[in-house]
């Protein structure tokens, strides 16, 4: 018996009053009436009712179905994706000794493919006495839909060798195969085959081509095809809007959606609205999303489950959790996908309590959570306790055998706990460990500043069956950057070249970032110029690096070259540009970039950009303008902005503005040592010793201590760290002797005034004598 197939709607015509199938079906004593009854339900799209009726009839009595009834039932199974019942109908057909024609067999092939069992479809296909183009296309589609692309390609060439030519449906499936394989060259070959055939103007082939190029992120190619098509249907518009939204072009997606609304006779469906909501999510544009929400209601899609999922997720990502919940409530008959979407939306926004409540309600509603549910819950647990609760459920339900879930648990523990939990879980996974697992643990070590563990685990990884990929290399490069270890970074660069990963844009950008953070600007520039197609990250890394090292003019020249080559800057690029202007004192140029970056490229100024402007004004001695700029910002200044102003006040001995800047820092962080120390320095520079004493007393009462600076140097594969007045190094005597000699050379070269020379020489001599005596 098939359970849980309850009627969804009342029947029309003579069966409108049907409440339980047993009452009505008992009156249908003949096979003809039974067949007619089932076919009638299917014609009304009452597929679940038809399945329920068949299940009841065949359990009570033996009867025969005619070909039309079988066709309707098989199509019902395809629509509902009910593999179990599809097998029952197929088995019923085989046991009845009924010889299906090729049309019915093709329906069976299609059903098994859509229900996720290409193996069953292949068994039917191999037993077929005669096959036509539809048979071949159906079996190819079955493998394509279930991510079995290699088998689909083999079947295609087998079909061609048998003398059957493809049509637009076949080409559509093969183009989806190319997308699944991420093989652009194979896709272009099939594109050429479509053009050579007579199906180049068929909508199905055109839609598949546009969808393929968007999935390859070849947006320009997709747009060229899209513009050449004279009669565009809703599917084509949906492919283009969805492709733009998925490939990081949300603004273009919304513009195309708006253009579609102006076309007469075309109305957006639930899939297009879903893509539009996703675009708004990427932009975090709550108002745009609200307008689209109103529009979807006008088109009668307010309760659609597909559009409703994206709408609820959009509201959650934009922080409007109440609206997200209301959007979910409006969905008629939410399915497991809808529950997963709302649960993940709350988890993503950080409201894990609400996410856990949705999870509980979903289970009480009769839905069985799947791996997508668990992954959504683990997106962003706010506390370790909640993450452990999910972990317990994972173990109880057997999801701990799923590698993806285990990898997400690794990431969760890395965020919420110490590394011991991560290492313990890695040990428990044992044979389930994959490359993603290794990368997750390496990332956790880097997040917890355990850089030595990164290199230690990398050696263990080399001894396993998994070798580092581009993600692994980027993590290791991040470890090299945090240590400023140029030697180790250079070794990683050699490995990259040997392993053939130098062509990966992600790796190339990681190398540029490593070289710049290690101070090797020339190496970074050489690597950049060797790149075939540097992206905005490549340009931005180099521009920021030149700005940080004081090469403001070079950074601005790079920015001009970048724009001339057509690469659009992002917000990081403008941080580098404004920093460069600050380093070289280009005030007017900096304000020009600050004012035009939103108009030219849609980049809204952030706190980082404002901090650059404050730094620029403060460096130029325009402290009043800097303070005025801070007070006029659209958001509250953070401690970094106030520290920037306070540091400039210390340099220029401005007590009045310095006190206000220090107050701004202390309101945000009362224990900030930088604010207390810098304010003390300002008082000392102006001779206000009473204020200095007051500040030092205040620091003692608040238990505020100055954090000492630390420097390190790598020598012979060993890192040597030094702090202020540090005497812990085993060779400290020799070090201070060399420092004394260096200072003597500095004095002789004229870097210290004559009035300070004798005092400092005495200090150096006395310190060297003491250290030599101690040695």
């Amino acid at each position: 018996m098939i359970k849980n197939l309850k009627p969804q709607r009342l029947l029309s015509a003579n069966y409108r009053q049907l409440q339980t199938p047993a009452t009505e079906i008992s009156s249908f004593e003949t096979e003809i009436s039974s067949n007619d009854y089932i076919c009638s339900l299917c014609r009304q799209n009452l597929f679940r009712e038809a399945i329920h009726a068949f299940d009841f009839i065949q359990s009570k009595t033996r009867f025969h179905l005619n070909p039309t009834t079988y066709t309707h039932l098989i199509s019902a199974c395809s629509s509902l994706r009910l593999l179990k019942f599809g097998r029952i109908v197929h088995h019923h057909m085989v046991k009845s000794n009924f010889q299906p024609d090729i049309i019915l067999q093709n329906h069976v092939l299609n059903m098994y493919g859509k229900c996720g069992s290409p193996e069953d479809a292949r068994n039917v296909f191999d037993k077929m006495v005669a096959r036509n183009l539809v048979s071949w296309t159906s079996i190819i589609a079955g493998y394509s839909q279930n991510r079995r692309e290699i088998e689909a390609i083999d079947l295609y060439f087998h079909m061609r060798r048998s003398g059957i030519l493809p049509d637009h449906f076949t080409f559509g499936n093969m183009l989806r195969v190319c997308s699944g394989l991420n093989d652009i060259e194979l896709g272009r070959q099939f594109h050429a085959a479509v053009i050579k055939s007579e199906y180049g103007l068929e909508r199905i082939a055109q839609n598949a081509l546009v969808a393929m190029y968007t999935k390859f992120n070849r947006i320009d190619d997709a747009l060229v095809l899209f513009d050449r098509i004279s009669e565009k249907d809703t599917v084509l518009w949906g492919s283009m809007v969805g492709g733009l939204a998925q490939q990081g072009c949300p603004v273009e997606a919304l513009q195309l959606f708006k253009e579609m609304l102006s076309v007469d006779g075309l109305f957006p469906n639930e899939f297009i609205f879903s893509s539009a909501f996703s675009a708004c999510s990427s932009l975090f544009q709550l108002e745009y999303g609200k307008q689209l929400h109103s529009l979807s209601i006008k088109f009668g899609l307010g309760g659609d489950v597909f559009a409703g999922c994206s709408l609820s997720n959009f509201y959650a990502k934009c922080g409007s959790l109440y609206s997200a919940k209301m959007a979910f409530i409006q969905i008629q008959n939410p399915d497991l996908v809808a529950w997963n979407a709302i649960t993940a939306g709350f988890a993503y926004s950080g409201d894990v309590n609400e996410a856990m409540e949705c999870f509980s309600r979903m289970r009480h509603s009769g839905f069985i959570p799947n791996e997508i549910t668990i992954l959504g819950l683990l997106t962003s647990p706010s506390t370790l306790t909640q993450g452990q609760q999910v972990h317990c459920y994972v173990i109880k339900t057997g999801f701990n055998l799923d590698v993806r879930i285990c990898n997400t648990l690794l990431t969760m523990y890395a965020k919420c706990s110490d590394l011991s939990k991560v290492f313990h879980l890695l040990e428990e996974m044992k044979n389930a460990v994959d490359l993603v697992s290794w990368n997750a643990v390496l990332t956790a070590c880097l997040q917890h500043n355990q850089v030595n563990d990164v290199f230690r685990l990398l050696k263990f990884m080399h001894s396993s069956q998994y070798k580092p990929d581009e993600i692994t290399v980027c993590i290791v490069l991040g470890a090299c950057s945090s240590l400023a270890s140029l030697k180790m970074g250079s070794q990683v660069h050699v490995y990259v070249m040997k392993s053939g990963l130098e062509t990966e844009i992600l790796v190339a950008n990681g190398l540029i970032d490593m070289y710049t953070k290690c101070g090797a600007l020339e190496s970074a520039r050489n690597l950049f110029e060797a790149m075939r197609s540097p992206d905005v990250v490549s340009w931005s890394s180099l521009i920021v690096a030149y700005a940080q090292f004081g090469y403001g003019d070079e950074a601005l020249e790079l920015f001009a070259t970048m724009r001339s080559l057509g690469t659009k800057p992002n917000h990081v690029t403008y941080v580098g540009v404004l920093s460069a202007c600050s380093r070289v004192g280009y005030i007017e140029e900096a304000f020009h970039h600050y004012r035009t970056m939103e108009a030219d490229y849609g980049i809204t100024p952030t706190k980082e950009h404002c901090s650059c402007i404050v730094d620029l004004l403060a460096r130029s001695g325009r402290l009043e303008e800097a303070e005025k700029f801070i007070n006029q910002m659209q958001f509250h200044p953070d401690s970094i902005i106030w520290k920037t102003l306070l540091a400039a006040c210390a340099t220029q001995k401005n007590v009045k503005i310095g006190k206000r800047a220090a107050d701004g820092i202390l309101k945000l962080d009362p224990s900030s040592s930088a604010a207390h120390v810098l304010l003390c320095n300002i008082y000392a520079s102006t001779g206000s010793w009473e204020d200095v004493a007051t500040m030092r007393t205040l620091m003692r009462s608040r238990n505020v201590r100055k954090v000492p600076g630390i420097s390190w140097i790598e020598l012979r594969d060993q890192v040597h760290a030094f702090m202020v007045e540090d005497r812990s190094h085993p060779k400290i005597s020799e070090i201070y002797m060399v420092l004394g000699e260096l200072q003597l050379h500095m004095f002789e070269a004229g870097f210290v005034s004559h009035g300070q020379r004798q005092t400092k020489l005495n200090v150096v001599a006395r310190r060297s004598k003491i250290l030599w005596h101690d040695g």
Side-chain angles (χ1 to χ4, degrees), residues 72 132 222 226 273 328 334 408 635 638 657:
H72 279 301
N132 60 10
F226 182 80
F273 269 109
F328 177 77
T408 309
F635 38 73
D638 58 9
I657 298 179

Side-chain angles (χ1 to χ4, degrees), residues 232-252:
K232 305 177 180 68
D233 60 1
T234 304
V235 176
L236 183 62
W237 282 96
S239 298
M240 199 67 242
V241 173
L244 289 169
Q246 293 170 4
Q247 297 300 335
C249 303
V251 175
E252 292 81 355

Side-chain angles (χ1 to χ4, degrees), residues 622-627 642 645-646 649 654-663 679 682:
R622 299 158 71 166
L623 298 178
E624 292 80 5
E625 293 182 48
E627 185 181 22
W642 285 120
L645 181 61
L646 180 58
C649 292
N654 191 316
V655 179
K656 185 178 179 181
I657 298 179
K659 289 182 65 175
R660 290 197 291 266
D663 290 339
L679 194 55
I682 295 175

Side-chain angles (χ1 to χ4, degrees), residues 85-101:
F85 188 74
R87 286 173 174 163
I88 291 175
V89 175
H90 186 206
H91 182 66
H92 188 279
M93 183 172 63
V94 173
K95 284 182 63 177
S96 64
N97 294 323
F98 169 73
Q99 297 297 326
D101 59 10

